[in-house]
Structures are given as C-alpha cells and as structure tokens.
C-alpha cells in the first residue's frame, strides 16, 4: 500500500484520497476498479511496500511508521481498518508491530505481540459487524519475526479466540513457520521475505511457505535480464558448469541473434520476437523492451511455480530441489546496461545516499556563451564540425 491518506505537511491537515470515495457498481470493489485489475487476479492489501523501506520513526500503540508518496508518516490502526472496509481487497494482511531492519530489544519484544494482537482484534471485530451483502475479506494474521517462545501469548490468543476468523498467515521470516500453532498450520502462509531468486523460493517452499511477494522479477526486467531457468532442472552439459539463471540482453552477442529469449518458451515475447529485436529496443531505450522482458519473465516464473506444485504432488520436491541447486547458479547475471529511470518507489531510501539518477537537465548558460561566440555553420557542415562549435552533440 503506497498510502491511505494524503498528508499536507505544511498545513498539518489530512485529505481523504479519491480512491476512498470512488463510485462503484453493485459487483465492484473500489481498489480493484481504481487500479483496473482483472477479476481473476488475487488482490492483496498490506501496510508496506515490498521490499519495505526502514522508517525513521518508531511505531506507537495505535499505528506503525510507513513511507508514503509525501514522506514518512504514521498509519493508524483505525485508518487501516477503515481503508479495508472501503477498498474491499480479497486478502488483507494484518498490521504487525515490526520495524524492518531493526533488532528489537527485550522490552520492545514484549510490546510487539500485545500491539499486533490489539490491532488484529480491532480489525476482526470491525469486519465481523459488517453486512453479509458486502464482499468478504480474508484476514491473514502476522507471525512476528521473533522466537516462538517470545510470541507464545500472542499466538495462543489467536488460536483460542480468533481461529474461526483468520484465513492465513503472514511471515516476515521463513524460520518463524515453526511458531504457528499446530491446529492452525493448515492455513496458507504468505511470505514477505527477502527473495533474491528461484533458489530462495525453493528453499522457503521446502520450509512451508505457500505464497510469495516477488520484487525480484521487476528488478531483473529493469536490469535487462531475460530469465531462462527451468524446474525441474535439465541435465548439466558435459563441462559440468552451472547454468545461468538468465541472460544479459544488453550483451553485444545478441545484436544479430534471431532466436527466442529462452528455448521452448511459449510466452508472447518469444513467440513473436527474438533476442536481436529486444536488444535493439534496449539500445534505443524503448519502453517496449522492458514490457516484452516483463511478459517473458512473468511467464518463466508462472511455469516455475506450476512445476513446483506438480513436484509437491509427485512427492519429488526434495530431489528436484537438489538437482536444481546443482544445475543453476544462485545469482542472476550482472547487467551491463542501464535500465529505465528509477522512481522513488522503486528504491530503498537511506541517509546521505548519492543521487541515483543522472541530472536530466543542465544549465544552458555555458552553451549560450559558446553559441554567441561561434560563427554560424555552413549548410555543408558535418557532425564533427557542429559538435566542436557547440551546436550539437555527436552520437557515438
């Protein structure tokens, strides 16, 4: 969730965003209509982006500190619950008293379970009082990234009082699966963990995670990487070297390569285009390059998950995971090109960081002085001459 309310810092007032009052039809929900999401796609609402941005302020008894489009602010539990009521996602992730990238102290750990439980009880009670005519919202309860004994009171209360109202779990650490009460381990588990590639997905699936939020697909696409891995893994070549997880489409090796992005891939990009075309689009900075790569990479990941599910049904996941680990490198190839211009929501912010994007504009004063002193070029002047006089920049 980017933000629920727009805060005007200068005037210290708050204005409700347009999405909260969006007119909808009988069978529509505001959030799905606002982002134009198709009906067969699962809509999940959470409190933070993934991967999250470390907040500068601490959480309070009534809310958590989050980053919004206008900076850091506090998301109140009441506001979050109200947003759920108005937006009607398919799944809502319960608010957790968890501060990303910070190790909690002893006193802090005591508060984490109490606050998370209070926020979850408030949301469940509010949604429980709604009319049955409204679209249902499945509530996923957070499992805190601390040891099982440190959150036993919190989890025991969920088991005793809220078990009938919960539909799943949210994990911030794959190892915390063991803390889930035995009687509630049949519920699906959504992992908000750091996933760098397919090896991490397989590892966490083996531990018991069911659903993943993957930012690594978009990161690979932005880098100009076309994913090529398959599961189960193919036989290793005679050299015995591990296969790459993808290919760097910025490489000059693909300038005249008219083969598909990945062998035997049935995605739209591979059926209609080839490496040379995508390489040309990247070189020309055409957004279509990243669109085709994203279509391809999502298809590779869809097939990957489908085959993992089949491996689980066949009872061969452990063997297939071992062969995949031997066959493929753990890290994606390093990009040799430059992706699309980064936006603020795409990167983690920190203190005293250097500027990520080059300056898009420059002062024209120096150029004006040079042009004023330079004689007008002749009609037959070439690019070299124009560049020397400051009238243009020669393309390399």
């Amino acid at each position: 969730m980017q933000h629920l309310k727009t805060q005007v810092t200068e005037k210290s007032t708050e204005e409700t965003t347009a999405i909260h009052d969006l007119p909808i039809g009988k069978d529509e929900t505001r959030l799905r209509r606002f982002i134009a999401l198709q009906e067969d796609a699962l809509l999940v609402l959470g409190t933070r982006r993934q991967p999250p941005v470390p907040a500068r302020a601490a959480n309070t008894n009534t809310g958590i500190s989050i980053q919004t489009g206008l900076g850091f602010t506090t998301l109140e539990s009441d506001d979050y619950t109200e947003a759920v009521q108005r937006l009607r996602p398919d799944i809502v992730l319960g608010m957790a008293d968890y501060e990303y990238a910070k190790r909690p102290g002893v006193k802090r750990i005591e508060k984490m379970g109490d606050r998370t439980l209070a926020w979850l009880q408030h949301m469940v009670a509010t949604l429980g009082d709604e009319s049955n005519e409204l679209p249902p919202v499945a509530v996923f309860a957070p499992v805190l990234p601390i040891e099982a004994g440190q959150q036993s009171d919190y989890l025991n209360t969920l088991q005793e009082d809220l078990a009938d109202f919960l539909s799943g779990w949210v994990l911030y650490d794959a190892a915390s699966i063991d803390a889930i009460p035995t009687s509630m381990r049949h519920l699906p588990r959504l992992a908000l963990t750091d996933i760098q590639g397919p090896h991490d997905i397989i590892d966490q699936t083996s531990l018991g995670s069911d659903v993943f939020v993957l930012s690594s697909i978009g990161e690979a696409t932005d880098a100009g990487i076309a994913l090529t891995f398959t599961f189960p893994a193919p036989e290793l070549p005679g050299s015995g070297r591990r296969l790459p997880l993808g290919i760097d489409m910025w490489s000059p090796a693909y300038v005249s390569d008219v083969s598909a992005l990945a062998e035997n891939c049935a995605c739209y990009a591979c059926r209609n285009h080839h490496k040379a075309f995508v390489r040309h689009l990247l070189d020309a900075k055409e957004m279509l390059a990243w669109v085709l790569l994203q279509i391809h990479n999502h298809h590779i990941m869809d097939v990957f998950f489908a085959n993992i599910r089949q491996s689980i049904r066949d009872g061969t996941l452990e063997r297939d995971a071992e062969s995949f680990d031997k066959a493929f490198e753990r890290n994606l190839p390093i990009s040799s090109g430059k992706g699309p211009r980064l936006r603020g929501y795409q990167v983690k912010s920190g203190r005293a960081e250097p500027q990520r994007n080059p300056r898009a504009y420059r002062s024209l004063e120096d150029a004006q002085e040079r042009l004023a002193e330079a004689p007008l070029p002749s009609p037959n002047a070439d690019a070299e001459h124009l560049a020397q006089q400051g009238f243009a920049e020669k393309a390399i």
Side-chain angles (χ1 to χ4, degrees):
M1 178 184 298
Q2 186 65 13
H3 62 281
L4 297 176
K5 289 194 174 182
T6 300
Q7 185 172 10
V8 184
T9 307
E10 294 80 359
K11 298 180 180 180
S12 298
T13 60
E14 291 185 349
E15 300 175 356
T16 303
T17 54
I19 186 175
H20 281 189
D21 298 319
L22 181 71
I24 54 175
K26 180 180 179 181
D27 298 324
E28 293 181 319
T29 58
R30 286 188 173 88
L31 182 55
R32 188 177 295 275
R33 183 183 178 189
F34 188 80
I35 63 177
L37 186 68
Q38 64 269 28
E39 291 296 330
D40 60 348
L42 195 63
L43 189 54
V44 181
L45 182 64
T47 56
R48 291 190 175 95
R49 50 161 282 179
Q50 182 65 19
V53 176
R56 300 181 181 182
N59 298 337
T60 67
N61 289 332
T62 59
I64 63 173
S65 180
I66 63 169
Q67 183 198 34
T68 72
L70 298 176
F72 290 96
T73 188
T74 298
L75 173 61
E76 299 290 339
S77 173
D78 291 346
D79 293 337
Y80 185 47
T81 301
E82 179 186 354
V84 174
Q85 291 182 286
R86 287 176 173 267
L87 304 182
R88 312 307 299 185
D90 298 317
I91 297 174
V92 59
L93 309 183
M95 182 183 292
D97 184 23
Y98 164 55
E99 295 181 359
Y100 176 71
K102 293 182 181 179
R103 178 175 294 182
V106 176
K107 293 183 178 180
R108 181 75 181 79
I109 289 175
E110 294 176 358
K111 294 181 179 180
M112 292 173 67
D114 295 339
R115 287 175 174 176
T116 303
L117 177 61
W119 298 335
L120 194 60
Q121 287 174 326
H122 170 67
M123 176 178 290
V124 168
T126 303
L127 295 178
D129 291 337
E130 293 182 326
S131 169
N132 293 330
E133 297 180 358
L134 292 173
V137 177
V139 179
F140 277 35
V143 180
L144 300 172
I146 54 180
E147 295 181 7
Q150 295 173 327
Q151 56 181 322
S152 59
D153 291 342
Y154 160 66
L155 294 173
N156 288 337
T157 304
L158 295 186
Q159 183 180 16
E160 295 171 1
D161 300 340
L162 300 181
D164 295 336
F165 305 98
L166 301 179
S167 301
W169 299 98
V170 186
L171 304 172
Y172 298 93
D173 184 351
S176 61
I177 288 179
D178 293 337
I180 298 176
T182 304
S183 64
M184 301 180 70
R185 290 193 177 183
H186 63 283
L187 297 177
R189 288 153 284 198
L190 185 149
L192 292 181
T193 52
D194 185 20
I195 301 292
Q196 296 298 320
H199 291 276
D200 294 334
I201 295 174
I202 295 173
D203 293 342
Q204 295 191 25
T205 299
S206 300
L207 292 175
S209 296
D210 301 307
V211 187
F212 300 90
V213 178
L214 303 179
S215 61
S216 55
I217 303 178
E219 292 169 0
T221 297
D222 287 348
I225 303 297
L227 302 179
T228 57
F229 59 86
T230 58
F231 184 91
E235 294 184 7
L236 286 174
S239 62
R241 296 179 57 185
R242 286 184 172 182
L243 300 171
L245 295 172
I247 56 176
D248 176 19
M249 288 305 304
W250 290 96
S251 172
Y254 305 118
V255 169
S256 58
D257 189 337
V258 293
S259 63
L261 298 177
E263 187 177 355
N264 299 323
C265 180
C267 77
Y268 171 85
C270 289
R271 285 187 285 107
N272 294 276
H273 303 291
H274 46 65
K275 292 187 181 81
F277 180 63
V278 176
R279 173 65 175 76
H280 161 72
L281 293 175
L282 286 172
D283 193 49
K285 301 295 190 296
E286 287 284 353
M287 282 306 301
L288 180 58
W290 290 284
V291 171
L292 293 176
L293 282 173
Q294 188 76 328
I295 291 173
H296 168 77
N297 289 342
H298 269 278
H299 177 79
I300 292 291
M301 196 62 71
D302 285 343
V303 174
F304 174 69
F305 274 104
N307 290 338
I308 286 181
R309 291 191 292 270
Q310 185 61 48
S311 180
I312 293 174
R313 286 191 290 267
D314 295 340
T316 60
L317 180 61
E318 185 176 355
R319 185 178 69 240
D320 292 340
E322 184 178 351
S323 63
F324 186 89
D325 186 61
K326 292 179 180 179
F328 287 99
E329 299 174 351
R330 289 200 68 92
N331 299 318
L332 289 170
I334 299 176
S335 173
S336 59
K338 184 179 179 182
R341 185 174 177 85
L342 295 175
R343 304 301 178 186
Y345 61 84
Q346 293 178 291
V347 296
K348 298 179 182 179
S349 62
R351 297 180 180 178
E353 285 189 350
Q355 185 172 336
R356 294 177 180 268
N357 294 313
R359 183 176 297 176
Y361 304 99
R362 59 183 175 82
S363 173
L364 299 178
E365 294 181 0
D366 295 341
Q368 288 177 343
E369 293 178 1
R370 291 179 60 189
L371 290 175
E373 298 173 357
L376 292 176
S378 66
N380 298 324
D382 57 15
E384 192 76 32
H385 180 70
L386 292 175
Q388 291 175 356
Q389 290 187 299
F391 283 95
E393 183 177 345
K394 183 180 177 181
I396 300 176

